[in-house]
Amino acid sequence: MMLGGAGMLLAASPAQAADTSYRTECIPPAISGLPPVEGTTVVQLTAPAEAKVGDTVEVVWKTVEAASKNPDVLDLDKDTVKPTGTIKVGGAATGTLQMEGPRQNPPIPKNSAMVLPDMKGTLKLEKAGEITLTPDAYNINVSKPISTDTKCSPKETVKTGATIKVTAGGGSTTGGTTSGATAGGTTSGSTGGSTTAGGTTSGSTTSGSTTAGGTTSGSGGGQTDFPGKEVAVHFTCTSPGPADISSKVTINAKKSGGSYALTVKTAKGVMDSPAALPAGALKPSMDIVIKGADKGSVKVTGPANAEPLEQGKPVDLSDMTGTYKPGASGKSTLSPGTLTIDVTLGASKINIPCKVKGSVTPSLELDTTAQQGGASGSTTSGSTGTTGSSAGGTDSGGGLAATGAGGTGTLRALGLVAGTAILLGGAVFTFTPWRRLRGTR
């Protein structure tokens, strides 16, 4: 038995249709902030009751009831929903039949039943006998505001949905299995994180100059460049962010008058993109912690991603820049602090702070002279808009950087309520934490 993409479709006897109900778990895109949900899926399979060997028959999957409603957060636009699914083939033949529906749906308001278009697949019959068709897993893709997938799978043994009695004909009686795929029968959107390249942190932050140990003598010899050392940092993030991010971070400084232009570099592939995101959607920033003679912090930022990001693919954070104006004289250390990930789509924002876990070795030590209005004991926004050109965008790939948004309360609320769902678009059944967006470097 083969999946047929061509040839005449036959219905040698009246088609049969029956409802099949089964308990289902749906897992939405990995960037959402709520857990999976279980519900009941009701499917009606339509297929010929009888056919002959050599016939190519059409099977139709009608979703009578989806496992969950559209959440009470986001209205889904007309013609944005596309389902794909799998039917298990048993009896005289074994294998799977890939099903696909058009991107066709009426507008689906918040907190209303999901309306999915019918899925179809074609099956070429190559062996006489009784063939059973059983609905299995299915996927819901929503194209706006970004392309996302919700994956649904049975949580119990599913009853047969249709049976085809195949009688001997002029065709071959050999075979007995289905092929694995039809054109477009599956969708992308796998977010399992297995696509990350485990060893991509090699040398991606700074060049060999970072071995200088990060200690400088800012008062002598007219020195202007102060390279920091590469230090390992482990971040833990607030929901709906990734559980953790690990990266190497380097803080470099260039003296200009009494102030220092900072450039902060992270490892390549520090995390996976949570979804397919357009250019300019994802931006990081970081608080640089100052200790020693001077105290406080400076926020460094950079440009947004210049190119769209693919779901599940490693993301490089571009260089983040800012200005440090010392508030005290003496030796002060600079260390990586909270990393903030901002995802913005239109008016909707998700703000995810990732705090340093454990102790961190300082990346840079400077011998400073106090400047009026310096950082001592305060938090300053180091990104003034004039320093960003000095280093932003030197890493290719993701080209990500920061917004400098410091107020996490309001934006996080947006992320957990409205922003999360707007981002998801396709989290049409429920939401799940951003567990798979993780750093492995």
Side-chain angles (χ1 to χ4, degrees):
M1 165 185 259
M2 296 174 59
L3 298 185
M8 184 180 297
L9 299 180
L10 300 177
S13 63
Q16 55 177 315
D19 287 357
T20 302
S21 301
Y22 54 98
R23 186 163 49 89
T24 309
E25 180 183 58
C26 292
I27 301 178
I31 64 172
S32 64
L34 297 175
V37 69
E38 287 192 6
T40 299
T41 298
V42 181
V43 174
Q44 185 182 92
L45 293 186
T46 302
E50 296 182 0
K52 295 180 180 179
V53 172
D55 288 352
T56 297
V57 298
E58 182 178 73
V59 180
V60 178
W61 171 320
K62 178 180 179 62
T63 304
V64 179
E65 181 181 328
S68 180
K69 294 181 178 180
N70 182 30
D72 188 20
V73 181
L74 174 69
D75 294 330
L76 299 179
D77 292 341
K78 181 177 183 292
D79 297 339
T80 58
V81 177
K82 177 183 176 69
T84 54
T86 302
I87 290 177
K88 289 184 177 180
V89 180
T94 58
T96 58
L97 173 62
Q98 303 299 320
M99 306 293 288
E100 181 180 8
R103 193 174 298 280
Q104 187 177 65
N105 61 278
I108 304 176
K110 295 176 288 188
N111 198 31
S112 64
M114 285 300 303
V115 181
L116 304 179
D118 293 350
M119 295 185 281
K120 296 181 179 181
T122 56
L123 192 67
K124 185 171 183 180
L125 309 176
E126 295 188 341
K127 189 176 181 179
E130 190 173 83
I131 294 175
T132 61
L133 304 174
T134 304
D136 195 43
Y138 57 98
N139 184 84
I140 307 297
N141 176 266
V142 173
S143 60
K144 293 182 179 180
I146 57 175
S147 178
T148 53
D149 293 284
T150 297
K151 298 180 180 298
C152 301
S153 57
K155 298 300 288 183
E156 63 179 338
T157 301
V158 184
K159 295 180 180 179
T160 297
T163 302
I164 304 175
K165 184 178 180 181
V166 184
T167 58
S172 169
T173 60
T174 61
T177 59
T178 62
S179 65
T182 55
T186 58
T187 62
S188 60
S190 167
T191 59
S194 59
T195 56
T196 58
T200 57
T201 59
S202 57
S204 60
T205 52
T206 58
S207 64
S209 62
T210 61
T211 59
T215 301
T216 66
S217 175
S219 60
Q223 182 180 356
T224 58
D225 292 326
F226 302 93
K229 65 180 179 181
E230 184 181 80
V231 295
V233 187
H234 182 74
F235 301 94
T236 56
C237 303
T238 300
S239 177
D244 60 74
I245 295 176
S246 296
S247 178
K248 300 291 182 65
V249 179
T250 307
I251 303 171
N252 297 321
K254 184 179 182 67
K255 190 174 183 181
S256 177
S259 299
Y260 297 84
L262 303 181
T263 301
V264 179
K265 297 173 178 285
T266 59
K268 287 185 177 295
V270 72
M271 62 186 182
D272 294 341
S273 178
L277 297 177
L282 192 155
K283 303 187 290 186
S285 60
M286 184 180 290
D287 293 329
I288 302 304
V289 179
I290 305 165
K291 292 183 178 181
D294 200 3
K295 301 188 186 312
S297 66
V298 175
K299 183 175 287 295
V300 291
T301 66
N305 56 305
E307 300 294 335
L309 303 176
E310 296 183 41
Q311 180 175 351
K313 295 298 181 66
V315 172
D316 301 340
L317 304 184
S318 66
D319 296 352
M320 294 172 277
T321 61
T323 301
Y324 165 46
K325 180 184 289 187
S329 298
K331 293 185 181 297
S332 300
T333 61
L334 281 68
S335 305
T338 298
L339 171 67
T340 300
I341 299 170
D342 289 302
V343 183
T344 303
L345 285 172
S348 300
K349 297 181 180 181
I350 294 179
N351 176 265
I352 302 167
C354 299
K355 295 184 178 181
V356 174
K357 181 179 181 180
S359 60
V360 177
T361 302
S363 175
L364 183 63
E365 183 181 84
L366 296 172
D367 191 354
T368 62
T369 301
Q371 305 294 308
Q372 186 174 2
S376 187
S378 65
T379 298
T380 63
S381 178
S383 180
T384 61
T386 59
T387 60
S389 61
S390 65
T394 57
D395 284 338
S396 60
L400 311 178
T403 63
T408 61
T410 301
L411 293 181
R412 278 178 54 200
L414 283 172
L416 292 171
V417 183
T420 298
I422 295 296
L423 251 185
L424 291 178
V428 293
F429 287 91
T430 182
F431 303 123
T432 189
W434 195 352
R435 296 188 181 107
R436 294 174 182 169
L437 189 156
R438 65 181 186 275
T440 57
R441 282 85 193 156

